[in-house]
Each structure stands twice: as structure tokens, then as C-alpha cells.
Amino acid sequence: MKLDPFYLIVDSAAWIERLVPLGVKLVQLRIKDRTEDDLRGEIRAAQAICAEHRCQLIINDYWRLAIEERCDFVHLGQEDLAEADLGAIRAAGLKLGLSTHDEAELRSALAAEPDYVALGPIYPTILKKMKWAPQGLERLAAWSERIRPLPLVAIGGLNPERIEGVFAHGADSAAVVTDITLNADPEGRTKEWIRKTEAWR
């Protein structure tokens, strides 16, 4: 499976409506602490936008809703993986992406036979407090060798200046959150990411 090299992660369908029409082809909807009705509405709105623009939509965490809403891709963290019904996810035809931060998590992830593995944080990140130190490019390269032929997603502290380094060390896709959502010009920054990842597309 091939992932677009630019992997946008946002927390609302409103962000998807703003940014996907600019040419984004891979986006994760990652929402925390909302009611099920709100989540369902956000997923449906995101699906409609992504279908119109031929963008791959990945739902974070909420695998049951992803099944019910006939999504085609879900991403789970390690805690969610431990509680998820992988059989139900596979039976529904959903592709599966998994987060990893250390050796034990990589083993758990590979045992679940995912469609891609994410490693992070590659660099220091302000998105959330992490108990893991930045992984760095050398570990990214080692992970890439170990999981082949699965795609590897790099996440954490990425910006356009660091793109070339992560791809040179084996990443297939670079995931970004705050470099865009906290930017003074999210649309302009999105276009820059699309342009600078073109060589790997």
C-alpha cells in the first residue's frame, strides 16, 4: 500500500473543509472528548469532503463508529489497540494504522498485522506531553528496515525544513499537526507541504 507523503492530522471537519480542497490527499480526523452524536456528524462531514476531493480519510481511535459509518481506514494508538476488536475491524474491510514509540509497541503493532506503522515523536513536539524522548532519524531508519514492506509514517515536530531528512531515512509519509494548525497561514503552509513533498508522491 502506498500512502501520500503528506499526512495531515486535524481535529475537526471544519479543518478538513478548509485544507483538503487545496490538494491534500491523506488526512486523519483526530477528535477527543466529544459526544458520540458530535463524532458521527464530524465523520460524516469529513467523509463527504474527502470523497469529493479524492482524499483518503483516516479516523483516529473510534473504530466502532468507523465501522458503522462505513469508513475505510482507522488509526489506533497502543491503548486503543489493546481494547479494539481487530477481527471486527478486518471483517468490515477497514485498513489499520498503528502508533509506536518503542520496541515493545512495535512488536505489538506488527502482531496486529497493520497496513502501516507510525513512529514518533521524531523531533520534540508541542502537541502533547510525551513520556518518550525524540526518536531521531537513526531510529526512523532502523524502523523502516524492520517493518518492510509496510509503509512507515514519521510524526512529531516535523516541518518543511525537516521533510528531506525523514524521507532520506526511510519514511514513506510525514504526518503533521501543529506546524499547520498553529501556523499564521494554515492554507499557505499546507500548500508549501504539498509542494515540498511532491518529489516523493
Side-chain angles (χ1 to χ4, degrees):
M1 182 184 72
K2 181 170 173 56
L3 295 174
D4 193 85
F6 172 45
Y7 186 162
L8 176 64
I9 301 177
V10 293
D11 63 2
S12 70
W15 272 117
I16 289 176
E17 186 174 19
R18 274 180 75 176
L19 302 180
V20 163
L22 301 176
V24 175
K25 295 303 175 186
L26 179 64
V27 65
Q28 182 186 126
L29 182 63
R30 179 163 69 185
I31 303 176
K32 305 292 183 184
D33 304 321
R34 298 278 291 274
T35 68
E36 184 173 313
D37 284 348
D38 283 349
L39 289 166
R40 201 179 295 276
E42 289 282 313
I43 289 171
R44 289 178 180 177
Q47 283 178 308
I49 298 160
C50 288
E52 180 181 352
H53 295 279
R54 297 184 179 181
C55 176
Q56 173 72 68
L57 174 65
I58 300 177
I59 304 300
N60 182 263
D61 289 353
Y62 299 103
W63 58 271
R64 290 184 182 87
L65 279 176
I67 291 172
E68 291 171 12
E69 294 300 322
R70 299 184 179 181
C71 299
D72 59 8
F73 218 133
V74 66
H75 180 96
L76 301 177
Q78 291 284 321
E79 291 180 4
D80 302 291
L81 172 61
E83 299 173 359
D85 185 339
L86 294 179
I89 290 170
R90 292 302 188 194
L94 269 73
K95 296 183 184 71
L96 176 65
L98 296 174
S99 294
T100 65
H101 307 87
D102 58 32
E103 292 286 335
E105 291 189 352
L106 180 59
R107 288 193 296 272
S108 296
L110 293 178
E113 300 182 349
D115 293 282
Y116 75 77
V117 169
L119 174 66
I122 305 303
Y123 295 98
T125 176
I126 63 172
L127 180 61
K128 55 185 177 181
K129 190 176 171 94
M130 290 281 210
K131 65 181 181 181
W132 298 277
Q135 306 283 353
L137 296 177
E138 295 308 315
R139 176 165 280 198
L140 185 69
W143 242 242
S144 174
E145 288 294 321
R146 289 182 58 186
I147 73 168
R148 291 299 172 209
L150 292 178
L152 179 61
V153 175
I155 186 170
L158 302 187
N159 58 42
E161 291 70 40
R162 291 169 168 167
I163 287 172
E164 191 167 340
V166 297
F167 288 114
H169 286 78
D172 298 284
S173 188
V176 59
V177 188
T178 57
D179 187 68
I180 286 175
T181 60
L182 296 183
N183 194 280
D185 179 12
E187 286 83 359
R189 193 65 155 181
T190 297
K191 290 176 183 177
E192 182 180 1
W193 269 90
I194 293 169
R195 186 173 66 253
K196 289 197 171 182
T197 53
E198 183 59 39
W200 296 276
R201 186 159 287 112

